[in-house]
Amino acid sequence: MSLYPDKKLTFYINGKDAGSSTSSSINIRDGNNEDLIISGQGTQCGTSPCNKFKGQMDEIRIWDIARSVSDINQSMYRTLSGKEIGLKAYYHFDDLYGNKAKDFSTNGNDGDYYGTFKTSHHIISPESAVEFNGNTYIRAPHNHALNVESRFTISTWFNTDSDTKEQIFLEKGTWQGSWLYFLKPVNGKLRIALASKNWSPITLNGKTDIQKNKWYHFAASWDGTTRRIYLNGNLEASDTPNGTLGSNNYDMHIGGRQNYYLDGKLDELQIWNTARSQSDIQNTIYQSLTGSESGLVLYYNFNQIDDIFIKDISGTINDGDK
């Protein structure tokens, strides 16, 4: 919702104009001493809030400027720094911080929780995730920048429709000398694995049984000595395999290959030529990137998909085709 200087009040839903009203009678009172109430009405109901909201909220932002539709769309799926000009209060609810609703703007408008609350994380833009139907994939033509044999980090959000099928997320090359990571059935359930035929042992499996139709964030890193797997920012497994990771001239396949196609969705797929730390991974799990980050060699946020091409937002231009 934005209130413009010409007293035009505009509501936006999912970044689109959902209605507006212009009236000379619209006025916002200055200088009141009332508390800010989130999820209910305040003093109009007497001594305690009424008409309380039941549901989920996230990324509450209050500005002292009327933001344009372009401004709203540009930051709709991004976590803010809290230092943006005009930002007066910002609650992203990533943690309950005891009994305080922490204000992440620079104004210190922390709130108090009344009642029992819990947090639940979500991906940045579920509407833009790409869906694979078990017989589809994306191909990114070979680019030397994707031969990240000395060190790398690969991460993505995923949601699978099957818990009985071995499915490849990403592969560059062939099984004989490639790198890939995938979902692997173990006793009828799925686990995550990072593998290369040049390593011994070949696979590194996670420990968590993956549930179908549920979103997870997966990251895998290799620093030349140690490989690590993270699930939702938490370290799942690590080891120090023997061997090296070679380069090749193969195209990269996203969503699988014959007999190993992905049934499900991917979002925010990133490949880095650096071994990112756990804190680096955690800091960007719920953030969209600009594409200009140092070490980022491929970035598909799947916000820009046409009938043929998948746009790479990084600076190396690894656009994929469907």
Side-chain angles (χ1 to χ4, degrees):
M1 179 181 72
S2 289
L3 179 62
Y4 295 93
D6 59 1
K7 295 192 175 182
K8 180 181 179 182
L9 184 66
T10 303
F11 289 87
Y12 299 93
I13 297 178
N14 295 332
K16 297 181 180 180
D17 189 333
S20 61
S21 175
T22 302
S23 173
S24 59
S25 63
I26 295 177
N27 189 34
I28 296 180
R29 293 180 297 164
D30 293 325
N32 72 68
N33 296 319
E34 297 176 4
D35 295 336
L36 171 68
I37 305 296
I38 298 174
S39 81
Q41 283 184 282
T43 56
Q44 290 181 338
C45 303
T47 58
S48 62
C50 63
N51 298 324
K52 296 177 182 177
F53 172 74
K54 183 177 181 180
Q56 296 178 327
M57 289 186 180
D58 202 5
E59 292 289 322
I60 294 179
R61 307 164 183 183
I62 300 175
W63 307 75
D64 68 357
I65 54 177
R67 306 191 79 215
S68 68
V69 63
S70 175
D71 293 335
I72 291 169
N73 275 277
Q74 286 178 6
S75 62
M76 187 163 57
Y77 296 119
R78 292 187 177 183
T79 300
L80 305 180
S81 69
K83 300 178 181 179
E84 289 77 5
I85 295 174
L87 185 64
K88 293 301 181 182
Y90 176 36
Y91 306 102
H92 61 51
F93 304 114
D94 283 357
D95 197 310
L96 292 178
Y97 294 94
N99 63 345
K100 290 290 184 181
K102 185 172 177 59
D103 173 22
F104 285 88
S105 77
T106 59
N107 299 296
N109 295 306
D110 294 348
D112 297 310
Y113 287 109
Y114 291 87
T116 302
F117 290 84
K118 64 179 181 179
T119 60
S120 60
H121 293 306
H122 63 283
I123 63 171
I124 304 163
S125 175
E127 293 85 359
S128 67
V130 64
E131 185 167 0
F132 300 85
N133 64 11
N135 194 34
T136 54
Y137 66 92
I138 297 168
R139 180 187 67 90
H142 166 69
N143 185 323
H144 179 71
L146 297 177
N147 281 332
V148 286
E149 62 267 23
S150 60
R151 60 185 60 84
F152 66 78
T153 304
I154 304 167
S155 64
T156 189
W157 282 94
F158 74 91
N159 184 326
T160 178
D161 297 337
S162 173
D163 58 5
T164 60
K165 176 184 175 183
E166 186 168 343
Q167 305 172 70
I168 293 176
F169 288 172
L170 182 68
E171 180 182 52
K172 188 176 190 302
T174 65
W175 174 235
Q176 289 75 25
S178 69
W179 51 262
L180 72 157
Y181 64 112
F182 53 93
L183 290 170
K184 182 177 182 179
V186 179
N187 297 325
K189 297 184 179 180
L190 294 176
R191 292 182 180 175
I192 45 181
L194 170 65
S196 171
K197 190 69 173 180
N198 290 331
W199 284 335
S200 178
I202 296 173
T203 61
L204 174 64
N205 290 325
K207 298 178 174 61
T208 300
D209 291 324
I210 304 299
Q211 301 175 33
K212 64 180 181 179
N213 300 318
K214 181 177 179 179
W215 281 103
Y216 296 89
H217 184 270
F218 174 49
S221 70
W222 162 250
D223 63 9
T225 302
T226 303
R227 59 178 168 176
R228 299 176 175 89
I229 288 176
Y230 302 90
L231 191 68
N232 296 335
N234 300 312
L235 182 64
E236 280 275 299
S238 65
D239 69 353
T240 54
N242 295 319
T244 59
L245 192 63
S247 62
N248 61 63
N249 296 323
Y250 288 97
D251 297 337
M252 185 176 68
H253 284 193
I254 301 164
R257 56 178 166 82
Q258 187 176 9
N259 299 324
Y260 298 101
Y261 289 117
L262 173 65
D263 281 305
K265 305 178 183 70
L266 296 178
D267 200 8
E268 291 289 317
L269 175 62
Q270 305 168 12
I271 299 178
W272 304 72
N273 62 14
T274 60
R276 305 187 78 210
S277 67
Q278 183 173 10
S279 61
D280 289 337
I281 292 168
Q282 291 173 339
N283 287 339
T284 56
I285 282 182
Y286 302 106
Q287 292 186 9
S288 290
L289 305 180
T290 65
S292 61
E293 288 79 3
S294 177
L296 185 65
V297 297
L298 182 139
Y299 176 36
Y300 294 147
N301 61 12
F302 301 115
N303 291 347
Q304 297 171 285
I305 301 177
D306 60 24
D307 291 337
I308 301 175
F309 293 107
I310 311 295
K311 180 71 174 175
D312 174 20
I313 311 299
S314 78
T316 51
I317 316 179
N318 295 298
D319 292 346
D321 52 56
K322 300 188 289 182

